[in-house]
Amino acid sequence: MNDAAERKLALSHLWVAFIAFIVACFMGEYQVLERSGFIPALDSPSVYFASVSTHGVLMAFVLTIFFIMGFGYYIAATSLQQPVWNKPLAWGAFWLALAGVVMAAVPLLTGKASVLYTFYPPIVAHAAFYIGATLLVVGSWVWCVIMLVMFIQWKKANPGQPVPLAMFATAMNAMLWLWTSAGVAVEVLFQLIPWSLGWMDAIDPGLARTLFAWTLHPIVYFWLIPAYTAFYVFVPKQAGGFVFSDEMARLTFILLAVFALPIGFHHLYMDPEQARGWKLLHGIGTFVVALPTLVTGFSVIASLEIAGRLRGGKGLFGWIGSLPWTNTMVLSVILSLLMLIFGGFGGIVNASYAMNAMIHNTAWVPGHFHLIFAGTTVIMYFAIAYYFWPLLVKKPLFSNPMALVQLWTWFIGMSILTTPWHVLGLLGQPRRISTVVYNNLLTLSWKPYELMMILGGLILLGSACLFIYNLAKTQLNPAAEAFEQQIEYAETVTPVESLPEWLNDFKLWNKVIAVLMAISFGYPILQFFFMDTSGSSPWGF
Amino acid sequence: MQIEPLKSKYGQLLRDFYTQLRAIHIDQLERKWITITVIVIGLFVGIITIDAFFHGINPPSKVETVDSATLHLNKEFAEDNLGVQVNNSGGITIRMVAGRYSFFPKHISVPAETKLTFRWVSMDVLHGVHIPMTNMSTMIVPGYVAEITTTFPKPGEYPVLCNEYCGLGHNHMWSNISVIAKEDWTAPVKLPAKGGSNNE
């Protein structure tokens, strides 16, 4: 198949994602420096909060959405062995989303949208920020439609056949994102945009927070699913083994999507506008979603063990040493799992209902999500990029040793950054402060940890630069000889011939999700229309 | 409505689903792992649920509305009523207003080892408050009263910190609380009301 058009499409998306990423990395390092107060000349709340808002939007929305779109197009084209459906539409979505990013970037960078990427009404940003963010999301919805159309077309052309696992996971993610983004879309379209333009006098921040909580948990799984997809479909092959179980992988993706959605209230544990029964219900759901993650951990380690033993590893732990540690995909998955173990542990503390009071909105929280997102997830984005780049540009990777150094330094930098961040949270430091001005002895104990964070950030920034340099060199290098390598999807220990329809389709799961969402969000949203609430007018910052 | 046909239809669907689920190839080792994880998760959920229902350990969740724009006219959160008050029943209630950029009153004294009920409201934007080394933590959302009951075990001077971004001066939003040994604490003298009950 001549997939030049698909390769260009994927590459364009991935470059937007990684340019956003590197810009945001520079901002991250500036932020740890500014926040520590060691360089008084840097001290400026207005620059700091503009930077934090931009860093959040670039990392959480631009890097992720563009990466997932580019990844999805290439997965769909290669796993289904067919061209991307309606490429002009796909390019339209690309330009729409990019225009949205530019539109949002102007108020962000000029300090007109320092409301953080979580919006926080009743503080109001320039309307262009909300409209730009909306265009970005609308662009991603078009991608969802393209993925689902390709999924359905392939199923029609191959009745009774199991959809390739990689495409099953990608289409599942498209469906998950449509459900996920509905909450924030309602908030932005019916509250924030009309209110910021002055068409509405007041909005209820309680309702706005509830709608945002709808999106806030499953969005994490939207970011994570490409990493999990790589765990299942690329890692076993790269390590020299097999997928442990195809059916369990599908079941895992289904459980992730179904249970990621109705549990957003763990972000509202400390909020006064929701009652405890609903919070407890969402809290229990939060623990349920740990199950597919634990199963994934098992499957990945099992497929690595198969590979290690096939490569001659002996004994209880001998197989670990015989894994190909110099393969970027294998090294990434090992480092990713290590960070997942620690990040998951922290996540259980956050999820534990009333215990959340100990760490809520402290420095612990950004420590946690940097470890689990920028660590576990983004390191797999790197691994995918190192694997895809040679396939997309038809040239070998510029430097494998450099890639290995980059992955190790990312892991080390992330450990040095996030460990003190967690400790600061336990010592009571609030997140989202631009500098420490509290006249209290307690703050003295914070200083050494902030110093460590600067070092961690510096290592991460260096690592990020190496990553971009390696990708750019790969692409710009003159091609020496024809590069013939093809994408390789891992095989299963026992290949599946047929699957029950509910493991090969989303119809049943959409119904289950609809019921669960109605139960867990129905009354909590409707209550705002029964209660005697008084809205908030817009406030500057 | 006919219950029986529906019952048999969905019963059959569930039975089919269960049979197909049982037919999935799951390795013996993986089965054991899933059993262990289900037990561990069940244990965590069980402890949290028992604590919530039998020991009353819950996050602040009293869904109570208030008009944040007219707090100064509101009887409960008018200036005279803020701070520490001993109720007729002997309980202690602390009413606090959060506003850019402080918590009012700026300093309060409370007894240690005593049940305290805090009632927080915002007069402007979103805030959050926590007192480090204690479990006094809540969001303060405009339009709602955040009520939380807790006990401070250790006397000392504690900072009261805003933990939610509320504007460019957010760093400066903090106040103080003195936790005083139970036997040394005396209830604040209630001054004759300046505004009184007719300040609406």
Side-chain angles (χ1 to χ4, degrees):
Chain A
M1 186 176 95
N2 178 13
D3 59 354
E6 275 71 18
R7 288 189 281 116
K8 191 178 169 202
L9 186 65
L11 204 57
S12 305
H13 282 85
L14 296 177
W15 266 124
V16 174
F18 291 131
I19 290 168
F21 164 77
I22 190 74
V23 171
C25 283
F26 278 93
M27 292 177 152
E29 177 59 9
Y30 152 76
Q31 285 154 213
V32 279
L33 269 173
E34 199 275 0
R35 200 172 188 275
S36 70
F38 287 117
I39 305 173
L42 276 183
D43 191 38
S44 162
S46 55
V47 177
Y48 178 83
F49 286 114
S51 177
V52 174
S53 302
T54 314
H55 174 90
V57 169
L58 288 177
M59 290 296 199
F61 298 143
V62 184
L63 164 66
T64 51
I65 288 178
F66 275 92
F67 179 86
I68 292 165
M69 286 163 73
F71 176 78
Y73 287 132
Y74 196 57
I75 290 283
T78 52
S79 68
L80 302 183
Q81 299 278 330
Q82 59 180 242
V84 168
W85 176 74
N86 205 337
K87 275 191 273 295
L89 186 65
W91 279 109
F94 172 79
W95 289 110
L96 183 70
L98 193 58
V101 171
V102 173
M103 189 171 175
V106 175
L108 276 170
L109 294 173
T110 50
K112 300 263 190 304
S114 298
V115 297
L116 309 188
Y117 77 104
T118 33
F119 301 153
Y120 291 137
I123 296 180
V124 71
H126 193 285
F129 169 65
Y130 303 120
I131 297 170
T134 305
L135 296 181
L136 171 61
V137 173
V138 172
S140 71
W141 286 346
V142 175
W143 170 82
C144 293
V145 170
I146 294 172
M147 289 300 106
L148 292 172
V149 166
M150 291 182 73
F151 178 84
I152 292 164
Q153 283 180 345
W154 190 91
K155 280 196 64 175
K156 278 217 182 95
N158 301 273
Q161 296 279 319
V163 177
L165 182 58
M167 187 58 194
F168 180 80
T170 301
M172 186 103 220
N173 206 19
M175 195 202 76
L176 174 66
W177 179 236
L178 289 174
W179 277 103
T180 301
S181 51
V184 72
V186 170
E187 182 196 358
V188 171
L189 293 178
F190 296 102
Q191 289 193 295
L192 300 185
I193 290 180
W195 174 72
S196 66
L197 289 170
W199 301 344
M200 275 164 73
D201 293 331
I203 59 166
D204 187 340
L207 174 60
R209 287 177 67 72
T210 303
L211 291 171
F212 201 83
W214 169 304
T215 299
L216 203 48
H217 191 69
I219 196 175
V220 178
Y221 285 86
F222 170 63
W223 303 338
L224 193 61
I225 281 183
Y228 276 30
T229 309
F231 284 174
Y232 282 110
V233 305
F234 295 134
V235 168
K237 183 82 187 176
Q238 294 298 307
F242 298 91
V243 182
F244 194 67
S245 163
D246 183 282
E247 288 122 307
M248 280 311 289
R250 281 167 210 264
L251 205 53
T252 302
F253 283 115
I254 288 168
L255 285 176
L256 279 175
V258 170
F259 284 101
L261 277 156
I263 61 174
F265 279 13
H266 58 233
H267 294 276
L268 301 185
Y269 280 154
M270 292 294 130
D271 272 42
E273 78 275 5
Q274 293 297 349
R276 59 192 185 194
W278 298 110
K279 292 178 182 176
L280 186 60
L281 183 73
H282 284 237
I284 293 168
T286 306
F287 278 94
V288 173
V289 87
L291 180 67
T293 292
L294 288 164
V295 171
T296 301
F298 177 88
S299 302
V300 177
I301 295 170
S303 53
L304 286 177
E305 183 179 347
I306 294 172
R309 296 203 186 282
L310 285 173
R311 297 168 65 92
K314 298 262 183 301
L316 198 54
F317 297 110
W319 58 271
I320 298 174
S322 60
L323 287 171
W325 285 70
T326 54
N327 179 300
T328 47
M329 187 70 79
V330 175
L331 177 64
S332 298
V333 77
I334 293 167
L335 301 178
S336 177
L337 281 180
L338 279 172
M339 291 187 277
L340 181 62
I341 290 168
F342 291 106
F345 168 77
I348 286 174
V349 174
N350 306 345
S352 295
Y353 193 54
M355 194 199 266
N356 178 257
M358 303 310 298
I359 48 84
H360 176 77
N361 263 354
T362 67
W364 169 286
V365 178
H368 164 73
F369 70 66
H370 277 79
L371 188 54
I372 209 98
F373 173 66
T376 305
T377 307
V378 171
I379 207 166
M380 290 312 295
Y381 287 11
F382 295 153
I384 292 165
Y386 286 134
Y387 185 56
F388 275 16
W389 238 254
L391 302 170
L392 293 175
V393 302
K394 296 282 175 200
K395 293 171 194 172
L397 190 67
F398 170 67
S399 168
N400 196 63
M402 187 192 282
L404 297 175
V405 169
Q406 189 270 321
L407 293 169
W408 276 110
T409 46
W410 190 260
F411 170 73
I412 293 165
M414 197 53 73
S415 309
I416 297 176
L417 179 77
T418 56
T419 308
W421 222 340
H422 280 86
V423 177
L424 279 171
L426 295 177
L427 292 173
Q429 185 181 86
R431 68 193 283 201
R432 301 189 182 117
I433 48 170
S434 71
T435 190
V436 175
V437 292
Y438 313 127
N439 183 16
N440 195 288
L441 288 175
L442 174 71
T443 62
L444 289 179
S445 65
W446 296 350
K447 282 285 160 204
Y449 297 104
E450 295 189 326
L451 200 63
M452 270 174 79
M453 284 176 65
I454 296 176
L455 176 68
L458 209 56
I459 296 172
L460 288 168
L461 181 59
S463 176
C465 291
L466 272 186
F467 171 70
I468 298 293
Y469 179 75
N470 209 345
L471 296 189
K473 280 298 247 185
T474 302
Q475 193 161 348
L476 298 175
N477 255 4
E481 62 249 36
F483 183 85
E484 288 304 330
Q485 202 175 308
Q486 292 294 320
I487 192 165
E488 291 178 306
Y489 289 103
E491 288 155 28
T492 320
V493 177
T494 42
V496 282
E497 267 89 41
S498 70
L499 285 171
E501 193 53 16
W502 50 268
L503 276 184
N504 203 28
D505 193 84
F506 308 133
K507 280 193 202 82
L508 171 68
W509 303 114
N510 273 320
K511 286 180 199 155
V512 172
I513 289 171
V515 170
L516 290 178
M517 290 307 266
I519 292 170
S520 56
F521 277 93
Y523 180 80
I525 289 175
L526 285 176
Q527 66 162 357
F528 293 100
F529 300 95
F530 305 141
M531 281 192 303
D532 181 22
T533 57
S534 41
S536 293
S537 51
W539 289 76
F541 42 82
Chain B
M1 202 169 88
Q2 296 270 306
I3 300 287
E4 276 310 310
L6 278 180
K7 216 171 143 187
S8 66
K9 185 187 161 202
Y10 283 102
Q12 190 56 44
L13 275 177
L14 273 180
R15 273 191 296 277
D16 288 351
F17 182 77
Y18 182 73
T19 325
Q20 288 172 342
L21 192 65
R22 293 292 297 182
I24 289 182
H25 163 79
I26 304 180
D27 186 85
Q28 209 49 42
L29 201 58
E30 191 160 28
R31 209 176 281 270
K32 277 183 197 154
W33 172 251
I34 292 171
T35 312
I36 293 168
T37 53
V38 168
I39 290 170
V40 170
I41 289 169
L43 188 70
F44 285 2
V45 167
I47 291 170
I48 288 169
T49 311
I50 288 168
D51 274 342
F53 280 105
F54 298 104
H55 304 140
I57 301 176
N58 289 291
S61 312
K62 193 177 182 199
V63 186
E64 180 185 343
T65 59
V66 68
D67 184 359
S68 280
T70 59
L71 287 178
H72 55 297
L73 304 173
N74 176 304
K75 228 171 155 182
E76 186 182 357
F77 293 97
E79 196 179 333
D80 295 348
N81 291 326
L82 300 184
V84 186
Q85 282 188 9
V86 180
N87 315 337
N88 295 335
S89 54
I92 298 176
T93 303
I94 300 142
R95 292 184 179 80
M96 299 287 291
V97 170
R100 298 200 293 196
Y101 291 104
S102 189
F103 298 102
F104 305 100
K106 294 198 73 152
H107 179 258
I108 53 169
S109 296
V110 297
E113 297 169 89
T114 310
K115 202 169 118 181
L116 307 168
T117 301
F118 284 89
R119 284 171 66 76
W120 302 86
V121 287
S122 164
M123 64 178 180
D124 42 38
V125 299
L126 191 62
H127 298 286
V129 60
H130 75 273
I131 300 175
M133 311 298 154
T134 76
N135 55 13
M136 202 336 284
S137 172
T138 182
M139 295 298 296
I140 310 170
V141 179
Y144 300 86
V145 180
E147 186 175 298
I148 174 166
T149 301
T150 189
T151 302
F152 297 135
K154 270 196 191 154
E157 296 295 321
Y158 294 83
V160 179
L161 306 177
C162 179
N163 63 25
E164 189 55 275
Y165 174 64
C166 53
L168 297 180
H170 166 53
N171 309 328
H172 297 274
M173 184 157 172
W174 62 293
S175 69
N176 288 300
I177 184 168
S178 303
V179 179
I180 293 165
K182 202 176 178 177
E183 54 278 13
D184 299 336
W185 187 79
T186 46
V189 183
K190 180 117 172 112
L191 296 165
K194 277 176 283 179
S197 56
N198 54 0
N199 58 355
E200 286 183 270

